[in-house]
Amino acid sequence: MSDYAELLPTAWNELEQSIVFYRGEPVGTVAARDPDIDVLNYDQVFTRDFAVSAAAFLLRGQTDIVRNFLTALVELQSRDKHLDCFRPGEGLMPASFAVQTQSSEEVLVPDFGEHAIARVAPVDSGFWWLILLLAYTRASGDEGLARQADFQRAIHLILALCLTPRFDMYPTLLVPDGGYMIDRRMGVYGYPFDIQVLFVAALSAAQALLADDDPLREAVIERLGHLTYHLRRYYWMDFARLNEIYRYKVEEYGREVVNTLNIYPASIPDWIMRWLPTSGGYFAGNVGPGRMDFRWFAQGNLMAVMTGIANEEQSNAIMALLEQRWDDLLGAMPVKLCFPALDGLDWQSITGADPKNTPWSYHNGGNWPFLLWLLAAAAVTAGRPELARRALDTAAARINEQRWPEYYDGPDGRLIGKEARAFQTWSIAGFIAAEELLKRPDRVSFFALAESPAVAACSLRVADEQTQGR
Ligand code: GLC
């Protein structure tokens, strides 16, 4: 049992102060309440940030605020078919929204990325909405909300947006750079693992929430099977797999080939040869034609364990990697967002020489406490709660005194982030949700994938291929 007798009530108090009201009802939480830095848009309710607050509220049995948020997003979802590129595409959910008073009436004003730095559209908002809708349904037992016609329509619009055929031949989703939590240029375009995991979790939620006779169900189930197989097979990285890639033949043509994506062994970076332990593994950051980004990204890997996208063996390997590479991946303030940082020419060319994303800062290898809840969820799912407890104890030792920073910097995450905001809501909520999950581990089921025969079948296929050494 932890001894956070004072810390937890303090954290709750902070979280409660971040609540935003709309026509008298709680509808979300602001991103940050730093009294010393210009607010920019941090006074808005961000969809992905609220997902962490929602986890904390749902785990505590406070379901109303989540219901109101879900309803607000249905109202805000873009619903017009636009053929120009300057307005949000049909089905897109906003990155954030604000409550404003117009003609003495409160209204919700969304931002779909048209005001955001670099004008990035959020790929993840609709996915988080679906994941939260399922978690809300499970936590509250209220199945009626998702069955409402406007909610079913919202699910359809999201599915139409992401299941539309595009210019590629993979089950994964092709996305531009910076379309999610990492909302700046970081080489996370193409098929970044973090987004693919959100995509699977969202499809699985849709499968559970669509009416039984919905004609889209079959397409969702089929895609889920192909997608899960693809992720488990092509993104997986452990010592055996590294050795397989190291000895790959290239330029193979036709259907039955081994090096399907034509990865060149010479693209294996030096760092991974020494760093990857002989036991343990993880899902690589990005895989596409002739491309394997070997970086570790925490959000996708932890969510893969929490949801069950990682099979049992893979989940155990991810936890084993965390344990063996603790200083690199968790450090003095868990959890590191990605590892290793891009530096030198890579930093220049991949980030566009972004001064906010210098090596070991912010998205480029910074440490983000909001990820604590996903770490706890992964740890309890994989039967390793003691790892999450150790991480929480580390965070508890200074996070409150340091005023709940948005992120930390440095290879080991000891420095408060160069431009980090204080009283960052998802740092607070991530801590609370992690603690709740350790207290009531069975509640991790709110966020697990729906039972899916397609996914179960693909699990057998991957296991089969692994024993055949393919
Ligand atoms: C930054 C983060 C983004 C987050 C936002 C609000 O832009 O990159 O993920 O949603 O801040 O906290």
Side-chain angles (χ1 to χ4, degrees):
M1 253 301 108
S2 70
D3 186 21
Y4 305 148
E6 277 175 37
L7 186 51
L8 270 176
T10 308
W12 262 107
N13 183 29
E14 297 295 349
L15 182 60
E16 272 162 12
Q17 286 187 42
S18 73
I19 294 177
V20 172
F21 290 85
Y22 173 57
R23 301 185 181 169
E25 299 290 333
V27 74
T29 49
V30 291
R33 291 175 302 110
D34 189 331
D36 307 325
I37 305 186
D38 180 16
V39 289
L40 289 179
N41 52 353
Y42 279 74
D43 58 347
Q44 301 207 6
V45 179
F46 275 74
T47 302
R48 70 178 71 91
D49 296 45
F50 183 72
V52 186
S53 301
F57 288 123
L58 291 179
L59 289 164
R60 276 254 177 153
Q62 276 174 238
T63 54
D64 280 5
I65 183 169
V66 181
R67 183 190 172 101
N68 297 339
F69 170 84
L70 292 166
T71 309
L73 249 60
V74 171
E75 278 169 34
L76 295 175
Q77 184 181 35
S78 170
R79 256 177 256 148
D80 300 314
K81 235 188 180 37
H82 297 306
L83 292 178
D84 73 86
C85 52
F86 297 115
R87 283 174 292 172
E90 190 179 32
L92 202 68
M93 292 260 181
S96 63
F97 65 83
V99 178
Q100 286 178 8
T101 306
Q102 293 174 4
S103 326
S104 67
E105 211 195 7
E106 275 187 351
V107 289
L108 297 173
V109 181
D111 179 15
F112 292 92
E114 64 271 49
H115 300 289
I117 296 167
R119 305 284 180 271
V120 281
V123 177
D124 61 342
S125 293
F127 295 159
W128 278 120
W129 180 82
L130 273 166
I131 294 165
L132 284 184
L133 181 57
L134 181 62
Y136 163 83
T137 306
R138 286 169 169 169
S140 66
D142 167 13
E143 294 190 352
L145 187 69
R147 297 275 175 207
Q148 282 176 201
D150 51 345
F151 273 65
Q152 290 287 310
R153 183 175 142 83
I155 300 175
H156 269 231
L157 289 178
I158 297 173
L159 291 177
L161 189 62
C162 58
L163 295 180
T164 308
R166 289 191 175 86
F167 299 103
D168 61 349
M169 308 291 293
Y170 305 132
T172 33
L173 188 69
L174 180 63
V175 298
D177 219 340
Y180 70 113
M181 185 273 153
I182 298 181
D183 53 5
R184 304 165 82 92
R185 199 174 141 190
M186 264 283 286
V188 285
Y189 61 90
Y191 308 92
F193 186 68
D194 282 353
I195 292 193
Q196 309 311 322
V197 171
L198 285 166
F199 184 32
V200 178
L203 285 182
S204 169
Q207 182 204 333
L209 296 166
L210 282 172
D212 293 341
D213 57 353
D214 195 292
L216 267 180
R217 279 179 70 88
E218 230 168 275
V220 169
I221 291 173
E222 198 192 333
R223 184 68 171 261
L224 265 173
H226 295 314
L227 186 54
T228 312
Y229 171 78
H230 187 90
L231 297 179
R232 288 179 180 166
R233 172 85 188 110
Y234 295 110
Y235 286 67
W236 186 247
M237 178 55 54
D238 58 13
F239 203 74
R241 178 96 172 103
L242 184 65
N243 216 136
E244 185 187 338
I245 297 173
Y246 181 70
R247 292 165 54 84
Y248 260 164
K249 294 193 180 47
V250 296
E251 320 288 352
E252 296 171 302
Y253 181 81
R255 286 195 77 81
E256 297 301 317
V257 303
V258 178
N259 184 2
T260 320
L261 300 169
N262 201 35
I263 309 291
Y264 295 103
S267 68
I268 298 175
D270 287 346
W271 65 264
I272 201 174
M273 310 235 194
R274 281 204 201 96
W275 185 79
L276 191 64
T278 37
S279 64
Y282 67 102
F283 291 99
N286 207 334
V287 173
R291 173 179 188 203
M292 184 142 201
D293 180 341
F294 292 81
R295 280 176 294 170
W296 150 276
F297 286 83
Q299 178 170 307
N301 273 283
L302 298 176
M303 273 191 87
V305 179
M306 168 180 87
T307 53
I309 291 167
N311 61 29
E312 204 181 323
E313 212 183 325
Q314 291 170 331
S315 293
N316 293 338
I318 290 171
M319 298 320 286
L321 180 75
L322 286 171
E323 198 173 15
Q324 292 174 79
R325 294 291 176 262
W326 188 274
D327 293 344
D328 292 331
L329 302 182
L330 295 144
M333 179 53 74
V335 176
K336 185 154 308 284
L337 188 64
C338 71
F339 178 89
L342 299 167
D343 60 8
L345 266 182
D346 281 344
W347 167 74
Q348 273 178 26
S349 59
I350 297 175
T351 72
D354 182 347
K356 198 161 178 182
N357 273 338
T358 48
W360 305 114
S361 184
Y362 201 50
H363 300 139
N364 186 14
N367 291 35
W368 291 69
F370 87 87
L371 290 165
L372 279 167
W373 87 277
L374 291 179
L375 176 69
V380 300
T381 306
R384 303 295 310 274
E386 75 287 357
L387 295 182
R389 172 58 65 211
R390 183 175 156 200
L392 265 182
D393 285 345
T394 311
R398 58 199 184 117
I399 197 165
N400 183 41
E401 285 69 49
Q402 295 180 334
R403 306 193 307 160
W404 306 94
E406 179 185 12
Y407 65 98
Y408 285 74
D409 284 352
D412 51 9
R414 278 200 303 162
L415 303 161
I416 295 176
K418 217 183 325 166
E419 294 180 41
R421 287 181 154 68
F423 300 105
Q424 180 81 19
T425 303
W426 65 355
S427 298
I428 301 163
F431 183 88
I432 296 174
E435 182 57 27
E436 290 296 324
L437 279 167
L438 286 178
K439 267 197 242 140
R440 301 187 185 83
D442 55 308
R443 296 200 173 172
V444 77
S445 63
F446 295 172
F447 304 97
L449 291 190
E451 285 298 313
S452 162
V455 172
C458 121
S459 189
L460 296 176
R461 246 172 95 201
V462 174
D464 241 27
E465 291 187 5
Q466 273 163 359
T467 40
Q468 287 163 18
R470 280 193 54 195

